[in-house]
Amino acid sequence: MKLIGSLTSPYVRKTRIVFAEKKLEYKFEVENVWEPTTKIQSHNPIGKVPCLLIEENESLYDSRVIVEYLDTLSPVSRLIPQSGRERANVKCWEALGDGLLDAGVTIVKEKQRPAEQISHEWIERQLGKILAALKTMSRDLGEQSFCTGVNYSLADIAVGCALGYLDFRFPDIDWRTTYPNLAKLYEKLAARHSFIDTTPPAA
Ligand code: GSF
């Protein structure tokens, strides 16, 4: 399998962490999808990474689809419960982490527009989503060891990638002071090899 991605994308990071936790082999191809010469659309018509090539002409895209597939490939370290409410809960945590990322990526892109075109109202709206997501993460984590209780799961990976992205792109958001329980969780996650090996390079 070959994963197409970038070293800075938090969605790609989530996928690489799952590869590592599942102990699955893969090749990693770095692709800059913002270059006009990118060939990403021959594998993913939406033009985004991560994109997983299963065969030369067979691809899977969207990190949520890829990680769900990877989890079925090996019984090592099950990351998503098989069914029911438990499964939906883990996927909802993932949606929360990814939703925070979507808002963050939107802000980063908005700020790259020419100064006179930047909408501060739009940025504030996205910032509101980030802050609301953090509040919900902290409330639902409570004093548990991991997002859904005692077991490490995809929920923790998604939340860890979201918090890591805030450190990377939004160092002014002091989520550690506001939410010490998230800081405690993140400290545990950041010590895992899967997180250490996928830390984004300094901006
Ligand atoms: C989001 C992927 C994404 O936005 C997923 O895979 O989970 N829901 C998708 N990827 C960005 C890179 S980044 O900001 O992480 C991307 O490839 N953007 C290219 C574009 O044309 O929007």
Side-chain angles (χ1 to χ4, degrees), residues 9-11 14 33-34 46-50 62-64 98 105:
S9 165
Y11 311 96
K14 183 177 62 165
V33 294
W34 301 102
I46 307 302
K48 293 187 180 190
V49 288
D62 198 285
S63 61
R64 289 189 220 179
D98 281 15
V105 168

Side-chain angles (χ1 to χ4, degrees), residues 34-146:
W34 301 102
E35 286 284 333
T37 53
T38 181
K39 297 273 188 297
I40 189 67
Q41 277 181 307
S42 58
H43 301 298
N44 175 2
I46 307 302
K48 293 187 180 190
V49 288
C51 178
L52 182 68
L53 298 195
I54 301 175
E55 303 284 345
E56 195 47 45
N57 288 313
E58 217 180 303
S59 52
L60 288 180
Y61 37 83
D62 198 285
S63 61
R64 289 189 220 179
V65 175
I66 297 171
V67 297
E68 189 165 349
Y69 172 65
L70 296 180
D71 199 38
T72 65
L73 293 186
S74 135
V76 173
S77 167
R78 268 227 81 103
L79 296 172
I80 312 175
Q82 298 277 18
S83 62
R85 182 62 195 269
E86 286 181 343
R87 183 178 177 87
N89 272 350
V90 167
K91 304 279 291 178
C92 194
W93 272 101
E94 185 185 24
L96 187 58
D98 281 15
L100 184 156
L101 291 175
D102 293 343
V105 168
T106 303
I107 294 176
V108 169
K109 289 290 155 206
E110 183 69 13
K111 287 184 171 170
Q112 288 170 356
R113 282 150 56 87
E116 67 280 7
Q117 289 176 23
I118 293 176
S119 165
H120 296 284
E121 205 185 332
W122 183 238
I123 289 176
E124 281 307 310
R125 184 179 170 89
Q126 303 306 323
L127 196 57
K129 294 177 197 290
I130 292 178
L131 300 181
L134 283 170
K135 192 172 177 184
T136 300
M137 284 173 182
S138 173
R139 185 199 65 199
D140 292 353
L141 172 64
E143 295 311 313
Q144 303 181 115
S145 304
F146 292 106

